[in-house]
Amino acid sequence: MSDYDFDLVIIGAGPGGYEAAFDAAASGMKTAVIEKDKVGGTCLNRGCIPTKAIMHSSDIYRDASAGAAFGVDVEGLSADLDRIIARKNQVVETLQDGILARFKKENITLLQGTGVVKDGHTVAFSPNGDGEEPRDVTADKIMVATGSHPFVPPIPGADLPGVMTSDDLLDISGPVPEEMVIIGGGVIGIEFATVFYDLGTKITIIEALDGLLPTMDKELGRSLKMNLKKKSVDVHTGASVTSFSKDGDKIAVAYKEKEKEFVVPADVVLVSTGRRSSTAGVFTDEFLEKHPDFMNRGQIKVNDQYQTQEPSVYAIGDAIGGIMLAHTATAEGRNAVAAMNGKKGEIRMDPVPSVIYTSPEIAQVGLTQDEAKEQGIKIKTRKFPMSANGKTVIEDLGRGYIKLISREEDEVLIGAQFMCGRASDIVAELAVAIGNGLTVQDIANVIHPHPSFVEAVMDTARL
């Protein structure tokens, strides 16, 4: 029998932490999870789920507003932001309850409070509230899955009321803002731009880099910019914000673009300039002094088994950097538990699909053209316009395309980027194809349903 309290203690109950806990319990490990807030982490409480719940409401409002073009007239249409947020909270609570029920079913101990790693087998636990005394919790293995938080650059006036991070915006109340300025043209900024544009807000996007979606295929960013401008969203790339200041009931956002200075008013400003690993305070100073090579710029360093410099301490998800996505953290957590039990992780970490929930949706998986060329891979590309897809025309989704990238020598699919309806679902087919080394012909030779968005994948492969 182990001398430790647990076989595994996980710090953080986000998707990486709670899925790892489920796998650990299933493998017979006595498991505890320490969480200082609510279970579900960023994804469930401040990210994927709440944003998509709000977006579902804005999608309904957008479709109802456009009903006349489809022969459906709607009178008295309005968007109640407080009710939208209340429904979002209901969705989140339902899923939280599901995780808690699973913890109970799997006999996973949930410790509500803060955990600090003291050594390879000891976590100092400080419970929330006054009813329980702090104590040390011991374990054979420790996993750190503490996620990330929004990064706010040091812009003068960033602390003004109405200047928000994505965390703040998810709990916004009152009427729908008339004007919103979004700082950052990455995934988070673009998704909130989609939500509030659909609810009737005038949107201005200011991005410091030369294009939108800088971590994705350049053509996706260009196509998105054209779509947004067509909708009268004011997009400024290669522009930098210099200050926020109060101007009556508005916030004046000053920015510089092409050496000229401009000011745009806003009721709400969203600062969506990236995220940083939440690792501060997770380890004692003494622990870090004994492990001088433990961290790199706030991110925990791990090997291919997710072990840190201290072999009994593992780390996954946003805490180690890399691709900061919920499904990446989940895969890493499950593979780390497999490694703890002397097994090889079965989940493939490449390719990783990425999705942006715009209208139409955007997704990519595998290599882009630029990445393939950088690796010296000779490629062939196929591109199909969604304007020729029946389902796209039926739903009037406008500009979009599917692009497949294959190796020139054998036509094996190595990448895909697309902007179309149901891209969040279609990307899974292409991830499976890339992960299993299928050729473009393999895709072309399989019957796809008609009419559908996904049949455009087959049409692209046949080009």
Side-chain angles (χ1 to χ4, degrees):
M1 186 173 177
S2 172
D3 292 330
Y4 303 115
D5 298 325
F6 297 94
D7 298 315
L8 173 63
V9 166
I10 301 171
I11 304 176
Y18 70 71
E19 290 287 357
F22 296 154
D23 270 22
S27 69
M29 301 177 78
K30 185 181 179 184
T31 304
V33 178
I34 298 175
E35 173 55 56
K36 65 180 180 180
D37 198 354
K38 297 177 180 178
V39 297
T42 295
C43 174
L44 178 49
N45 296 290
R46 300 173 297 280
C48 321
I49 298 300
T51 55
K52 305 316 172 283
I54 293 172
M55 183 172 282
H56 184 61
S57 296
S58 67
D59 286 346
I60 292 172
Y61 183 80
R62 178 194 65 229
D63 291 344
S65 299
F70 298 88
V72 180
D73 292 317
V74 179
E75 296 182 4
L77 184 67
S78 64
D80 186 327
L81 191 53
D82 289 336
R83 288 169 62 195
I84 290 172
I85 298 300
R87 182 184 181 275
K88 176 267 294 184
N89 292 338
Q90 184 181 37
V91 170
V92 170
E93 289 168 9
T94 298
L95 294 172
Q96 287 171 345
D97 289 345
I99 295 170
L100 292 171
R102 182 86 181 271
F103 274 16
K104 185 176 181 180
K105 179 182 177 182
E106 304 290 347
N107 294 316
I108 296 166
T109 300
L110 176 62
L111 301 173
Q112 296 276 187
T114 303
V116 180
V117 178
K118 297 173 66 175
D119 59 45
H121 300 286
T122 309
V123 178
F125 171 62
S126 300
N128 293 339
D130 301 324
E132 193 177 351
E133 291 296 319
R135 68 183 188 277
D136 284 348
V137 177
T138 62
D140 183 43
K141 302 285 194 302
I142 296 169
M143 177 186 291
V144 177
T146 47
S148 61
H149 58 273
F151 168 70
V152 179
I155 301 171
D159 56 348
L160 285 174
V163 179
M164 303 181 177
T165 66
S166 56
D167 289 0
D168 305 320
L169 196 55
L170 286 169
D171 288 317
I172 190 172
S173 61
V176 174
E178 293 181 2
E179 298 178 296
M180 179 180 292
V181 175
I182 296 176
I183 315 302
V187 175
I188 295 171
I190 294 302
E191 290 191 347
F192 275 111
T194 300
V195 167
F196 283 93
Y197 168 81
D198 287 343
L199 292 175
T201 302
K202 183 181 185 302
I203 302 292
T204 300
I205 299 172
I206 302 173
E207 166 58 49
L209 298 177
D210 292 333
L212 300 178
L213 306 180
T215 63
M216 301 187 81
D217 180 72
K218 291 179 181 177
E219 189 172 0
L220 289 174
R222 290 193 295 267
S223 295
L224 173 63
K225 188 174 182 178
M226 292 177 66
N227 274 359
L228 291 172
K229 286 191 170 184
K230 187 177 180 181
K231 296 175 179 178
S232 299
V233 173
D234 198 10
V235 180
H236 301 271
T237 54
S240 58
V241 176
T242 54
S243 69
F244 306 116
S245 59
K246 203 68 178 166
D247 184 12
D249 293 334
K250 300 282 187 178
I251 301 167
V253 180
Y255 67 97
K256 184 179 288 187
E257 183 178 10
K258 296 180 180 178
E259 303 305 317
K260 295 182 179 180
E261 295 184 355
F262 303 89
V263 177
V264 61
D267 299 294
V268 172
V269 176
L270 169 63
V271 180
S272 55
T273 49
R275 300 183 66 84
R276 296 292 184 270
S277 300
S278 296
T279 56
V282 177
F283 305 92
T284 64
D285 292 340
E286 292 78 10
F287 179 90
L288 292 176
E289 287 171 3
K290 293 178 181 177
H291 302 85
D293 198 36
F294 198 84
M295 309 277 286
N296 178 32
R297 301 179 67 180
Q299 296 175 347
I300 302 169
K301 297 170 67 173
V302 296
N303 62 18
D304 59 2
Q305 303 294 306
Y306 303 100
Q307 281 178 301
T308 67
Q309 191 180 7
E310 177 65 49
S312 59
V313 177
Y314 293 69
I316 62 160
D318 293 2
I320 65 173
I323 302 174
M324 290 188 173
L325 295 171
H327 47 273
T328 306
T330 294
E332 290 172 347
R334 295 180 65 187
N335 282 346
V337 170
M340 292 176 192
N341 288 283
K343 300 176 181 177
K344 182 179 179 180
E346 295 181 348
I347 303 175
R348 300 179 182 183
M349 296 309 303
D350 185 41
V352 177
S354 299
V355 179
I356 303 176
Y357 294 82
T358 50
S359 179
E361 292 179 342
I362 293 171
Q364 75 172 29
V365 62
L367 300 178
T368 65
Q369 287 178 256
D370 289 341
E371 289 169 341
K373 290 176 181 177
E374 287 171 5
Q375 295 181 27
I377 302 172
K378 292 184 178 181
I379 61 172
K380 180 176 180 179
T381 62
R382 294 169 170 84
K383 184 178 176 183
F384 182 84
M386 293 304 290
S387 58
N389 173 259
K391 201 71 164 63
T392 299
V393 176
I394 289 168
E395 298 196 15
D396 193 26
L397 287 181
R399 181 185 178 88
Y401 66 91
I402 289 181
K403 181 167 62 176
L404 302 181
I405 300 172
S406 59
R407 286 198 304 249
E408 187 180 272
E409 62 190 64
D410 54 13
E411 293 282 18
V412 168
L413 186 69
I414 60 173
Q417 299 86 41
F418 43 104
M419 174 184 289
C420 65
R422 301 293 183 188
S424 55
D425 299 319
I426 296 170
V427 70
E429 173 179 332
L430 295 168
V432 170
I434 294 171
N436 287 279
L438 301 185
T439 66
V440 174
Q441 284 71 33
D442 290 328
I443 297 170
N445 294 339
V446 175
I447 297 173
H448 288 60
H450 173 80
S452 66
F453 296 113
V454 73
E455 70 178 317
V457 174
M458 177 185 68
D459 292 332
T460 312
R462 294 174 64 185
L463 294 176

